[in-house]
Amino acid sequence: LSKSLRETIANGKQAMLFLNRRGSATLVQCRECGDILRCKRCDVSLTYHRDRGLVCHHCARREFPPKRCRICIDGHIRYLGLGTEKVVWELEKLIPGVRVSRWDSDTKSDKGNYYKMMEEFSSGLAQVLVGTQMIAKGLHFPNVSVVGVVLADIGLHFPDFRAGERTFQLLCQVAGRTGRGLDHGEVIFQTYLPDNYAIRTASEQNYSKFYARE
């Protein structure tokens, strides 16, 4: 994926990176006692955002990141996992000078932002578009030659019997964002589960095989 991104940008083409998670770290945990920082209202784990601190994605409550564990005091706080913010940060380190646009519900707060980002990417001002499922369908950018899916198996871990179907559907949709112009498009799935039937059939765009397995 790194190689393809570099070649795409060098050739004047564009790329899209899909990760269905917002923020910079999806889990904030004390490595001494194991305590996970949770929202005091909703009791769900807080997500770390570089520009907003700790945020609850259910009620939007915010907290400042703690310097010490509130349970054992001496514990070391670790920021685990990744979201779209961290993907942008890593991409800018990987390819210095790359022009990146991030599109998720944190950035698309109103119609003005939506049209601005659409125009920015379609005009070529941004070379890479990083986003959540908002970028997976309905977008037509002929200059996109590479789509990369970071953690393609992320949706498979939801406790839902439809998780495989939803993952397959989303991967097929995001794969359709490339190859829409005259040039050949490339799609790369990064996954810990390359043999999972949903991911394998999505990479083959094989609907009947997926249906038979389900």
Side-chain angles (χ1 to χ4, degrees):
L1 181 56
S2 300
K3 181 174 178 287
S4 292
L5 286 171
R6 288 193 178 97
E7 289 175 352
T8 296
I9 292 167
N11 292 332
K13 296 294 183 179
Q14 293 173 296
M16 296 172 72
L17 290 178
F18 169 78
L19 173 61
N20 211 18
R21 269 186 184 165
R22 294 180 282 156
S24 289
T26 52
L27 206 64
V28 183
Q29 183 180 41
C30 171
R31 303 303 285 168
E32 186 67 30
C33 69
D35 180 58
I36 293 173
L37 296 184
R38 296 179 178 275
C39 176
K40 294 175 182 176
R41 288 191 194 131
C42 308
D43 198 36
V44 298
S45 58
L46 295 169
T47 301
Y48 173 66
H49 294 251
R50 284 193 295 166
D51 56 344
R52 297 190 295 158
L54 299 173
V55 180
C56 173
H57 284 175
H58 281 266
C59 70
R61 185 178 180 276
R62 299 185 190 182
E63 290 186 19
F64 288 108
K67 294 182 179 178
R68 293 183 177 183
C69 175
R70 57 191 175 190
I71 303 297
C72 67
I73 307 301
D74 296 326
H76 179 55
I77 298 294
R78 290 287 302 275
Y79 296 84
L80 308 172
L82 77 158
T84 48
E85 272 188 8
K86 192 168 184 181
V87 170
V88 171
W89 183 62
E90 292 287 350
L91 185 60
E92 290 172 341
K93 286 199 304 178
L94 181 71
I95 310 174
V98 66
R99 301 187 302 275
V100 186
S101 182
R102 178 167 61 90
W103 195 351
D104 53 35
S105 56
D106 292 329
T107 57
K108 195 188 77 62
S109 57
D110 54 48
K111 277 189 175 181
N113 279 353
Y114 172 83
Y115 290 119
K116 183 181 176 182
M117 283 185 282
M118 284 276 287
E119 178 61 29
E120 187 179 71
F121 193 65
S122 61
S123 65
L125 289 176
Q127 296 166 303
V128 182
L129 180 63
V130 176
T132 55
Q133 62 183 359
M134 291 181 174
I135 70 169
K137 51 188 173 180
L139 300 180
H140 177 68
F141 297 117
N143 200 40
V144 172
S145 62
V146 170
V147 165
V149 180
V150 183
L151 288 180
D153 46 87
I154 196 171
L156 294 172
H157 304 300
F158 284 105
D160 188 332
F161 71 92
R162 294 161 294 190
E165 183 178 357
R166 287 174 172 171
T167 297
F168 174 82
Q169 180 186 42
L170 201 53
L171 292 179
C172 286
Q173 286 172 339
V174 75
R177 297 315 100 208
T178 187
R180 302 180 72 86
L182 298 175
D183 297 327
H184 174 73
E186 182 182 26
V187 185
I188 299 173
F189 293 165
Q190 288 188 331
T191 175
Y192 288 106
L193 302 171
D195 293 323
N196 180 275
Y197 74 99
I199 292 174
R200 186 163 290 280
T201 53
S203 69
E204 299 168 354
Q205 297 282 284
N206 193 330
Y207 294 85
S208 57
K209 186 175 179 181
F210 173 79
Y211 172 76
R213 174 64 175 79
E214 279 287 286

